[in-house]
Amino acid sequence: MSVEAGHFALVLAFALALIQSTVPLLGTRWNDRRMMAASGPVAITGFVLTLIAFAALTLAYAQSDFSLQNVYENSHSLKPMIFKLSGVWGNHEGSMLLWVLILTLFGAAVAAFGENLPPSLKANVLAVQGMIGAAFFLFILVTSNPFARLDPAPIEGQDLNPVLQDIGLAIHPPLLYLGYVGFSVCFSFAVAALIEGRIDAAWARWVRPWTLAAWVFLTGGIAMGSYWAYYELGWGGFWFWDPVENASFMPWLAGTALLHSALVMEKRSALKVWTILLAILTFSLSLLGTFLVRSGVLTSVHAFATDPTRGVFILGILSVFVGGSLALFAFRASALTTGGLFHPISREGSLVLNNLFLTTATATVLIGTLYPLALEAVTGTKISVGAPFFNLTFGLIIFPLLLLVPFGTMLAWKRGDALAAAQRLLGAAALALGAMLVTGLVSEPRSIFAVVGIGIGVWLLAGVATDLALRAGLPRAGFGTALHRVAGLPRSAIGTMLAHAGLGVTVLGLVGALAFGREAVVAVKPGEQVAVGAYTMRFEGLSSEPGPNFSSRIARFSLLDAAGSPHATIASAKRFYPVRRMPTTEAGIRTMWLGQLYVSIGEERADGALVVHAWWKPLVTLIWGGALLMMAGGTLSLLDRRLRVGAPSRRARPVAAPVPAE
């Protein structure tokens, strides 16, 4: 019965999305406040109904209700409960239901927290959200119904893809979707502003918190996905430039540009065209990622669906919303005023340059991702555009951007002094050059990439430290005064520093893992040793252990100290899932300071030896530590009291009480 209730709730949510997409829009057209006001309750009710549908599907997974086709194809009664629940979004139909749940959640959030928005703008924003929701509700109901029944009901399910049965995949998709779908609010604000024909600094103030929230979630989703691929797939890497990885990376790059552009628009009422266009393109890239994952044009461990019918449907949605919004933008662009003027050497100028680099990098990744698909579609020729292309082209674009990041924070608004900014950064430059010199002298093997990469990472961190010191008044101010000044800084300023510091930390992690890592591939028997980098492990042997829905062969290694005595153990395993008839590799990882010793096992040879692939990856934990710092910076900025979801409410001025006549 709960399944039918969930299905019915989904149909009702679709009906409400149709109402939400039309009634408020007509209300703004006819200046009918009651019709505009209906958008809020409808959006909240639509979220509640979608939540009921999602809860019904989750309950079916928890109860192993194999009369539901979706549960039968993606679950098993012996699967641990955490993976039964994460299996809800470990498939195409369930993940799309999560997609629309998050979409309606953001719509309800705008309705609930946008009380200070102008009624017409709020109505138009929620109407655009309703249009997006209606399109995807229709897609689910027509092509991807998660509530389809099986009759007769099977006794047992087919289990979930084993590589998805991991805590990382329980966290990664929800975070990623919160980022992907969160940018829909920015898109809706942009389209609503174009409909009204009024775009100003207040609009930028309203849209920036939503951009920040989506950016923080997408950062977390990408980082979690990277770490999952690193430890679960057993290949020792953290980024493959897989087209589906790129599909999430492109909105992140565009969203980063949107954040900076909205800041200029808020401060100086400039870059209106930039900001509106970036808001449209960022969500458009999110829709493109949805298409790539679900259209069947890609074969990837990340891809959910291979049904071309679904791909055509999503392509239609993509064409309507991207094409329609860009057409509206082209129609309104000539009416957009330029806003505040500024000198090229200024904070605004640096942010424009930042956006040029970021959008160029996004275009590079987009071309490298889509060109092979387009070539195959037109000529039938299959080519592969892999890491060498992306590393070279993307690296050449990002390198100058990273060099310029510390300068931006040193320049004044409207008109800056480049020479004064350079003088303030002399200490940071000296630290960076010193780090490059030390790296070149002591690192083995020596490489330009390592020297320059370490220098860039230190430059970014030293630039943040310089900015903080200047704001605190150091070295002239005393420690107590400096601490008081830092405590009084706006949260958005501290958040920006944390985000830039996180970027520097991530750069150091990337360089450390790629330039200084060591690798060994050997075949060993029990008692024999494996040397990788400065570390030595002794293979102790293999053992078999049963799991809840798998069997595993576990290889144990003792980590030896300088005297040859064991002081720690590392275990790596091969698992076999009998229902799916699929093996997986569980890497053994031991973190030591900022680096990790990583062990993956292969097949057992006929002579009893085991193939072992081991890596030493110095500084690798900084990759994800930097992402956490960026998320913390974005969250802190989001908590800044100056960033409101709506405009500050206008309070009536207090009126003095009349003086009684004597």
Side-chain angles (χ1 to χ4, degrees):
M1 183 62 70
S2 63
V3 171
E4 280 67 34
H7 194 184
F8 185 58
L10 198 61
V11 174
L12 287 179
F14 169 58
L16 282 180
L18 291 175
I19 296 172
Q20 182 182 335
S21 62
T22 52
V23 172
L25 206 59
L26 292 173
T28 59
R29 179 75 175 176
W30 298 336
N31 197 26
D32 189 323
R33 287 187 171 270
R34 290 180 299 175
M35 294 179 71
M36 288 189 282
S39 60
V42 170
I44 293 172
T45 307
F47 165 66
V48 172
L49 288 170
T50 312
L51 183 61
I52 291 172
F54 189 81
L57 184 62
T58 304
L59 182 62
Y61 268 87
Q63 295 176 341
S64 295
D65 182 0
F66 299 121
S67 69
L68 208 60
Q69 183 177 350
N70 188 262
V71 178
Y72 164 71
E73 292 177 348
N74 299 284
S75 192
H76 192 274
S77 59
L78 295 179
K79 195 166 63 171
M81 180 57 72
I82 179 64
F83 301 136
K84 286 183 179 180
L85 299 180
S86 64
V88 174
W89 53 82
N91 59 89
H92 168 72
E93 293 82 3
S95 65
M96 284 309 305
L97 186 57
L98 176 64
W99 206 99
V100 295
L101 175 67
I102 294 173
L103 181 73
T104 55
L105 171 64
F106 275 99
V110 172
F113 300 111
E115 295 178 355
N116 292 327
L117 290 170
S120 60
L121 178 62
K122 181 179 178 180
N124 284 329
V125 168
L126 290 176
V128 178
Q129 284 288 109
M131 293 176 192
I132 301 170
F136 279 96
F137 278 123
L138 184 61
F139 170 72
I140 292 174
L141 291 170
V142 172
T143 71
S144 310
N145 181 15
F147 297 107
R149 287 283 198 179
L150 291 175
D151 188 21
I155 298 174
E156 193 52 87
Q158 295 181 338
D159 208 358
L160 181 66
N161 186 337
V163 298
L164 303 181
Q165 295 186 40
D166 182 83
I167 190 64
L169 260 292
I171 301 171
H172 166 58
L175 280 177
L176 202 63
Y177 289 177
L178 283 165
Y180 264 164
V181 185
F183 283 122
S184 67
V185 179
C186 310
F187 174 86
S188 297
F189 266 96
V191 174
L194 290 172
I195 291 172
E196 289 193 351
R198 187 179 64 190
I199 303 165
D200 52 21
W203 178 89
R205 172 71 64 87
W206 289 318
V207 80
R208 203 151 73 92
W210 301 104
T211 308
L212 262 174
W215 183 86
V216 168
F217 285 125
L218 188 56
T219 302
I222 292 173
M224 187 69 250
S226 168
Y227 193 63
W228 166 80
Y230 170 72
Y231 73 78
E232 175 64 22
L233 300 184
W235 61 300
F238 44 81
W239 193 260
F240 192 64
W241 293 108
D242 180 285
V244 181
E245 290 177 331
N246 296 347
S248 61
F249 189 45
M250 289 184 290
W252 186 87
L253 291 170
T256 305
L258 173 59
L259 269 178
H260 292 87
S261 188
L263 177 63
V264 176
M265 187 173 170
E266 179 188 341
K267 295 285 187 182
R268 300 282 303 136
S269 193
L271 303 187
K272 294 180 181 180
V273 174
W274 258 107
T275 308
I276 292 291
L277 185 58
L278 283 170
I280 292 172
L281 292 181
T282 301
F283 183 60
S284 299
L285 290 169
S286 296
L287 289 178
L288 177 64
T290 303
F291 168 73
L292 290 175
V293 174
R294 301 168 195 285
S295 62
V297 299
L298 295 176
T299 301
S300 167
V301 68
H302 303 84
F304 276 117
T306 57
D307 184 355
T309 304
R310 294 168 175 171
V312 171
F313 202 117
I314 296 179
L315 186 60
I317 295 174
L318 181 68
S319 302
V320 169
F321 284 102
V322 177
S325 59
L326 290 177
L328 181 61
F329 172 79
F331 178 73
R332 291 287 197 184
S334 59
L336 296 178
T337 57
T338 56
L341 300 177
F342 52 87
H343 195 270
I345 306 298
S346 62
R347 180 76 64 88
E348 297 96 325
S350 69
L351 292 174
V352 170
L353 195 60
N354 166 84
N355 284 359
L356 287 172
F357 280 116
L358 285 173
T359 50
T360 305
T362 306
T364 300
V365 177
L366 180 66
I367 292 169
T369 303
L370 295 186
Y371 176 71
L373 302 177
L375 185 66
E376 183 179 357
V378 174
T379 67
T381 304
K382 291 186 177 182
I383 65 168
S384 176
V385 176
F389 166 80
F390 290 107
N391 289 340
L392 179 62
T393 56
F394 186 81
L396 289 175
I397 295 169
I398 289 299
F399 171 70
L401 172 61
L402 297 179
L403 280 179
L404 293 172
V405 166
F407 277 99
T409 58
M410 297 293 157
L411 295 173
W413 292 100
K414 197 173 182 179
R415 189 181 186 94
D417 187 336
L419 181 60
Q423 289 174 341
R424 295 187 193 102
L425 288 168
L426 282 176
L431 283 174
L433 290 173
M436 293 172 67
L437 180 62
V438 171
T439 302
L441 291 175
V442 305
S443 65
E444 287 291 342
R446 296 184 177 90
S447 71
I448 295 296
F449 169 70
V451 171
V452 174
I454 292 296
I456 289 291
V458 173
W459 165 249
L460 289 168
L461 290 172
V464 171
T466 302
D467 187 22
L468 183 62
L470 290 173
R471 288 173 181 265
L474 293 173
R476 295 180 179 177
F479 178 76
T481 303
L483 193 62
H484 181 71
R485 287 179 178 176
V486 170
L489 288 175
R491 291 174 182 174
S492 59
I494 299 295
T496 299
M497 293 180 199
L498 281 176
H500 288 174
L503 183 61
V505 169
T506 295
V507 168
L508 291 177
L510 290 169
V511 175
L514 295 174
F516 305 129
R518 296 293 183 271
E519 182 179 358
V521 182
V522 294
V524 291
K525 295 179 180 180
E528 294 181 344
Q529 296 181 354
V530 180
V532 55
Y535 297 93
T536 303
M537 298 177 293
R538 184 173 64 222
F539 177 41
E540 302 295 353
L542 283 166
S543 62
S544 298
E545 291 185 11
N549 60 332
F550 60 85
S551 59
S552 61
R553 292 278 284 169
I554 301 175
R556 289 183 169 82
F557 300 84
S558 293
L559 188 60
L560 307 180
D561 59 20
S565 301
H567 65 91
T569 60
I570 301 176
S572 181
K574 283 282 188 182
R575 290 180 179 176
F576 181 73
Y577 292 76
V579 177
R580 284 273 181 157
R581 309 295 299 172
M582 284 180 62
T584 64
T585 299
E586 304 296 319
I589 300 174
R590 183 169 182 84
T591 301
M592 290 174 286
W593 296 100
L594 299 175
Q596 288 184 334
L597 196 58
Y598 184 108
V599 182
S600 176
I601 62 173
E603 301 299 323
E604 296 179 65
R605 299 198 318 194
D607 61 356
L610 178 70
V611 177
V612 176
H613 202 161
W615 291 266
W616 164 242
K617 295 180 175 292
L619 305 182
V620 71
T621 57
L622 295 182
I623 296 173
W624 304 289
L628 291 175
L629 271 179
M630 285 187 264
M631 291 177 68
T635 303
L636 193 61
S637 296
L638 192 60
L639 296 176
D640 193 305
R641 61 183 178 83
R642 297 178 302 172
L643 284 183
R644 303 298 186 192
V645 174
S649 59
R650 296 179 179 178
R651 297 180 179 178
R653 293 181 179 178
V655 180
V659 178
E662 297 181 356

